[in-house]
Amino acid sequence: MSVKQSIDLDSPPPVGRVLGQTRLDGEGSLTQQVYRLLRDCIVTLRILPNQFLSEKDVAASLEISKTPVREAFIRLADDGIVRIVPKSGTYVSHVDFGRAHEGYFIWRSLEAACAAEVAAKRTLQDVVFLKDNLRRQKEALENGDHLGFYHNDNEFHDAMFAIAGYPSAKKLIETAKFEVDRIRNLKMLFGLPPVDEVYTEHEAVVDAIAKKDPALAQSRMYQHLSRVNDSLESLADNPDLWELFHHLSHPETGRRGPQKGKTEPDAKKGRK
């Protein structure tokens, strides 16, 4: 598969069209909602690296004022998800392999230790929740719903910190593993879906938690997350995928999209 077949780097879908097919989740302030929505669109590659983000067009697409959008842009820039270029505008950050490796190191170290805490603290209700999440993961894999699997996978890992009672650690992980998740989604978009072993490893972690075995839960989570590093390294094994990664990992000014004073086409079409 060529780069052009997997992602249209020259003519990505306008941001307004992408956002026109979404909705804010209604949780927290408008700034928080816009931040989460844009972050999700960027990490799932619905909005591409180096793509231009217009404050005006995002606000028009979401039918809100520009103030929460501006504040969300600042938060995204603080997290390294976008870059604000003086006298030019706001652009999605390029894919950074070094940042992905650092994020992976933080993620594996913290979550493996967290799994031990979960095994020690878990309730029967927690086990029921985790097993229901496993069921949804399996359904997504069987249906070829790779984006659905990604979201259930995130919910599974988020639950570790929720059950352990470490919300600050969860926020740190969310920031640290952003680049890891973007590369994982790049592989899925390229036609390399999550393997069944990922589900099996999740199942093994839950089994250890259900048994209230902290050492086993920590070991199995560490082994599971070690696969993530293998997944990052496997980019070099696929020349076409590496070519695509090479395109997306170089900082460029990017395409500005619509001319000044004009909103992106289809900004309000498809609104739900």
Side-chain angles (χ1 to χ4, degrees), residues 10-99:
D10 296 323
S11 302
V15 172
R17 183 182 303 163
V18 173
L19 297 180
Q21 298 171 349
T22 64
R23 64 171 65 186
L24 297 172
D25 59 28
E27 297 182 11
S29 68
L30 275 178
T31 297
Q32 293 171 327
Q33 293 177 58
V34 175
Y35 169 87
R36 285 195 298 269
L37 177 60
L38 289 175
R39 186 188 188 283
D40 187 65
C41 287
I42 292 169
V43 78
T44 56
L45 296 164
R46 286 175 285 172
I47 299 176
L48 296 180
N50 297 313
Q51 195 164 349
F52 175 67
L53 291 175
S54 162
E55 183 182 297
K56 179 180 179 181
D57 291 330
V58 170
S61 301
L62 299 176
E63 300 177 353
I64 59 176
S65 70
K66 291 192 291 184
T67 299
V69 176
R70 185 180 308 117
E71 293 171 348
F73 279 11
I74 293 171
R75 281 195 58 189
L76 290 165
D78 288 342
D79 289 345
I81 296 172
V82 305
R83 64 188 191 282
I84 300 174
V85 181
K87 299 182 180 180
S88 179
T90 300
Y91 300 87
V92 176
S93 295
H94 61 286
V95 177
D96 187 327
F97 202 65
R99 185 183 177 195

Side-chain angles (χ1 to χ4, degrees), residues 119-163:
K121 296 178 179 178
R122 66 83 173 163
T123 65
L124 179 59
Q125 184 178 0
D126 294 328
V127 174
V128 170
F129 174 84
L130 290 171
K131 288 188 175 181
D132 182 64
N133 175 272
L134 286 175
R135 176 187 58 78
R136 286 182 277 117
Q137 287 183 43
K138 188 174 184 179
E139 285 182 357
L141 281 175
E142 290 173 347
N143 295 329
D145 180 7
H146 304 143
L147 187 58
F149 179 84
Y150 164 76
H151 285 300
N152 283 309
D153 177 56
N154 273 349
E155 183 182 71
F156 172 81
H157 289 284
D158 287 348
M160 296 296 120
F161 296 96
I163 296 170

